[in-house]
Amino acid sequence: MTLCDPYSINFLATSAIKILQHLINNEGLARDNTILILLLRMLALGLSAWVMIDSQEFKEPKLDSQVVTKFLPALMSLMVDDQVRHLTARLPPDERESAITTIEHSGPAPDAVEAYIQESTVASILGIYYTLHTARQKDRVGILRVLTILACCKDDRAYEDPFLHSVIALLIPMAEEFTAEDFCTGLFDEFLFARLTRDNVTRHMLKLLWYIHIKLPAARLQTLLKALQPSSQHHENVHKLYDNLQTRIGLAIQENIASETIDIDYDSPLKSVPTPKPHYL
């Protein structure tokens, strides 16, 4: 039950991601790192704690060896791709090299990542914490590559409040990315809309729009507001949040109209006519 605590899960998963990063930098294998294996066993035990309590079968769940031998190498390949893109972005611009990097290091994630995230709770948690890692790096490509996969994660772990709260908080400073349609499609259409029937997903989306609505294209904003309109089944707090958001967006639109009116530079032919001076008697 101690390992089931969210803080314990956070420590174990974060430590595992750091070890994977260390293995990449030192060209090591996940299967040879005994500390990593121990962390994964503890993670599996914590994630199975409630099942053990309910069934009264107090036996350590067996860690799937293929999570270590197949899933982790595939996840590490995503992390290597992130490093390559980051390094390429710092080099002098070269169209050919940029095209090669895009093709080789920005395509769909390996099939093993998606397969094990769907089947294994441990793999789901590691995929979630890898997503938070890419979001902290503000790596839009890395985020988009994994978000669509998380929509199918085992037990809907990616739609629980701890992850949604963390990822939304990390996406708010990336408001400029929401001007791009591919980013909106990946986040909203392929990830969040998949579980829009859940109250907590609606709340987190409304909180995200509260901060980034000004960056969204008008058509996308209208689509989101229509999709998020609460029904009688939603909690009262969701209705209040939605109404407050509409008021906030309305005020922002009025301010934009007012500022555009003030900034209009009328190209009048009378500009060249001198202003008459007052005559004093």
Side-chain angles (χ1 to χ4, degrees):
M1 293 304 294
T2 301
L3 293 175
C4 183
D5 184 83
Y7 290 100
S8 299
I9 298 293
N10 177 73
F11 169 75
L12 294 171
T14 303
S15 300
I17 295 296
K18 288 180 179 178
I19 291 176
L20 293 178
Q21 195 72 53
H22 173 77
L23 291 173
I24 290 170
N25 295 336
N26 293 275
E27 300 182 358
L29 295 175
R31 69 186 73 179
D32 295 335
N33 192 290
T34 54
I35 296 177
L36 176 61
I37 303 300
L38 175 61
L39 290 177
L40 295 182
R41 287 178 58 191
M42 295 170 69
L43 183 60
L45 186 59
L47 294 172
S48 302
W50 283 109
V51 176
M52 296 169 66
I53 292 293
D54 292 339
S55 64
Q56 292 294 297
E57 294 182 8
F58 301 101
K59 183 180 179 181
E60 180 186 353
K62 185 178 180 181
L63 177 66
D64 187 353
S65 61
Q66 291 190 348
V67 169
V68 179
T69 59
K70 293 185 177 181
F71 171 73
L72 290 184
L75 185 63
M76 291 168 71
S77 74
L78 288 181
M79 300 172 75
V80 171
D81 288 343
D82 298 341
Q83 290 186 356
V84 172
R85 290 196 310 273
H86 179 69
L87 179 61
T88 303
R90 296 169 58 185
L91 298 175
D94 185 322
E95 292 185 5
R96 182 175 178 276
E97 290 297 327
S98 297
I100 292 174
T101 300
T102 301
I103 294 171
E104 295 182 351
H105 302 285
S106 303
D111 293 339
V113 175
E114 183 172 3
Y116 285 98
I117 280 180
Q118 292 177 5
E119 298 175 3
S120 168
T121 309
V122 173
S124 295
I125 293 297
L126 293 178
I128 285 170
Y129 276 84
Y130 162 71
T131 306
L132 295 177
H133 171 74
T134 57
R136 290 189 184 94
Q137 304 298 319
K138 297 185 177 180
D139 183 354
R140 72 186 308 276
V141 176
I143 294 171
L144 291 177
R145 291 179 83 188
V146 75
L147 270 183
T148 54
I149 298 173
L150 288 184
C152 302
C153 71
K154 188 173 177 62
D155 299 331
D156 281 350
R157 291 276 181 176
Y159 295 99
E160 294 177 351
D161 282 328
F163 172 67
L164 287 179
H165 178 77
S166 299
V167 76
I168 294 300
L170 292 169
L171 289 174
I172 289 172
M174 298 176 62
E176 290 296 333
E177 300 294 348
F178 289 90
T179 59
E181 183 59 28
D182 65 331
F183 195 81
C184 292
T185 299
L187 176 62
F188 295 121
D189 299 346
E190 299 182 15
F191 177 61
L192 292 173
F193 277 5
R195 297 295 183 275
L196 196 56
T197 54
R198 296 174 57 136
D199 259 20
N200 68 318
V201 175
T202 302
R203 286 200 311 272
H204 285 292
M205 284 186 68
L206 290 172
K207 290 177 182 178
L208 176 62
L209 291 184
W210 183 271
Y211 293 99
I212 58 94
H213 66 85
I214 198 169
K215 299 294 183 180
L216 287 169
R220 168 62 70 173
L221 181 58
Q222 289 304 317
T223 300
L224 289 172
L225 288 176
K226 186 176 181 180
L228 290 171
Q229 187 169 8
S231 64
S232 57
Q233 297 178 350
H234 286 89
H235 193 273
E236 182 183 355
N237 290 339
V238 176
H239 285 268
K240 289 182 180 179
L241 186 57
Y242 183 83
D243 293 340
N244 291 339
L245 176 62
Q246 281 195 312
T247 303
R248 180 181 175 86
I249 293 174
L251 291 174
I253 292 174
Q254 291 178 4
E255 289 177 2
N256 286 339
I257 293 174
S259 63
E260 288 175 2
T261 304
I262 294 172
D263 293 340
I264 289 178
D265 185 13
Y266 295 102
D267 190 13
S268 172
L270 297 177
K271 280 185 175 181
S272 58
V273 178
T275 305
K277 296 181 180 180
H279 295 283
Y280 298 97
L281 298 175

